[in-house]
Amino acid sequence: MSAKCEQCIVRELSSLKALNKEELLRMAECKSSYEVKKGDPLFEEGEMLNGIYCVKDGVAKMSKLSANGKDQIVKLVKKGELLGQRSLISEEAANLSAVAIEDMQVCFIPKAEVLKFFNENNQFSLNMMKSVCGDLREADDHMVDMAQKTVKQRLAHTLLHLEKDFGTNEDGSLKIQLSREEIAGMIGTATESCIRLLSEFNKEGLIELSGKKIILVNKNMLQKMSE
């Protein structure tokens, strides 16, 4: 169990890299590991979280329900990331919902243990604060994009980021497969508008659509369009 925590990708890529061997052993003893099936929530907006989640594998969407009942996707969380840090530090309910968009493997570390690390390990607490600050910066950028960019610009930007963050399959298609509704939720538009724009991009030779698959054909043009 302890070796798993020491070698885990989450430990290498997150605030947990500051923990020493003894602290990792302690964490291994108190954590619980489980699978989350595609479509199932890790937690809901407004829920009080009693710890943090380590994403060992899979992807989750972080979203907020808008007044009109639409899911506004704020970000996608992939393996190596932690969830629930802000809520734990601020002692507030979760501001967003986290739902698996593919099968996930996660570990849950109880709040009491995380706060011990926070009090005992300065580098861990600094790393966690930096991570929360990074999330806030991303949220600011997202808010500016939503206010100042057109839907077309936002779609081009999102497609490029999906390739950069998650990579491609052997056939060149985006590795992460999102529904049209989910892509619409990321760019803040109606599903019908998203479908129409993807079709336009396809006709213009910017992308290639094959069922649910999306291949980015002209990345230079997409980059220019996104700016």
Side-chain angles (χ1 to χ4, degrees):
M1 196 81 162
S2 60
K4 284 183 186 174
C5 277
E6 284 175 61
Q7 295 158 10
C8 181
I9 189 167
V10 188
R11 188 243 169 160
E12 292 165 26
L13 299 176
S14 72
S15 316
L16 302 178
K17 62 178 172 278
L19 300 181
N20 60 39
K21 192 168 184 178
E22 188 185 318
E23 288 166 330
L24 287 167
L25 282 165
R26 244 169 54 199
M27 187 171 79
E29 284 167 13
C30 73
K31 73 171 188 183
S32 48
S33 305
Y34 57 100
E35 290 187 5
V36 184
K37 292 291 177 193
K38 179 179 177 176
D40 287 348
L42 280 86
F43 54 83
E44 305 273 8
E45 187 181 336
E47 192 179 316
M48 289 304 291
L49 304 183
N50 293 314
I52 58 172
Y53 295 84
C54 303
V55 180
K56 196 172 178 185
D57 203 13
V59 182
K61 61 179 177 183
M62 307 295 293
S63 62
K64 196 163 185 66
L65 208 57
S66 60
N68 63 3
K70 292 271 187 189
D71 230 9
Q72 175 65 57
I73 298 176
V74 177
K75 70 177 288 192
L76 297 178
V77 176
K78 56 186 187 292
K79 69 179 180 182
E81 295 191 58
L82 300 179
L83 292 177
Q85 298 174 100
R86 190 197 63 80
S87 298
L88 184 132
I89 293 167
S90 65
E91 297 188 321
E92 293 172 353
N95 190 42
L96 303 169
S97 294
V99 176
I101 57 174
E102 54 182 53
D103 290 351
M104 299 180 74
Q105 286 184 352
V106 299
C107 293
F108 180 77
I109 308 166
K111 181 178 180 177
E113 202 60 43
V114 180
L115 290 179
K116 270 188 206 168
F117 297 145
F118 210 85
N119 291 327
E120 296 167 7
N121 186 321
N122 288 340
Q123 191 57 52
F124 172 76
S125 49
L126 184 63
N127 285 356
M128 193 172 271
M129 294 306 285
K130 279 182 181 174
S131 177
V132 171
C133 288
D135 286 345
L136 289 171
R137 188 188 64 246
E138 276 183 33
D140 288 344
D141 291 345
H142 185 71
M143 187 171 64
V144 170
D145 280 352
M146 293 299 279
Q148 296 182 356
K149 288 188 174 180
T150 65
V151 179
K152 194 177 266 195
Q153 283 177 305
R154 297 201 297 267
L155 178 57
H157 174 81
T158 298
L159 291 173
L160 288 166
H161 261 272
L162 290 175
E163 180 172 294
K164 182 180 166 224
D165 292 346
F166 298 97
T168 55
N169 296 307
E170 282 182 22
D171 62 1
S173 62
L174 296 179
K175 192 163 267 185
I176 186 165
Q177 272 200 19
L178 300 175
S179 69
R180 301 300 188 247
E181 190 178 3
E182 283 166 339
I183 296 172
M186 289 187 76
I187 63 174
T189 193
T191 306
E192 300 75 27
S193 302
C194 179
I195 292 168
R196 192 175 63 250
L197 273 176
L198 285 169
S199 181
E200 273 180 38
F201 281 17
N202 186 45
K203 281 175 191 163
E204 290 166 14
L206 300 172
I207 63 172
E208 191 181 303
L209 299 175
S210 172
K212 281 190 176 180
K213 289 184 175 183
I214 301 174
I215 299 168
L216 306 192
V217 179
N218 192 338
K219 288 177 218 173
N220 288 338
M221 199 63 213
L222 284 169
Q223 186 61 49
K224 281 179 189 169
M225 192 181 279
S226 72
E227 290 164 356

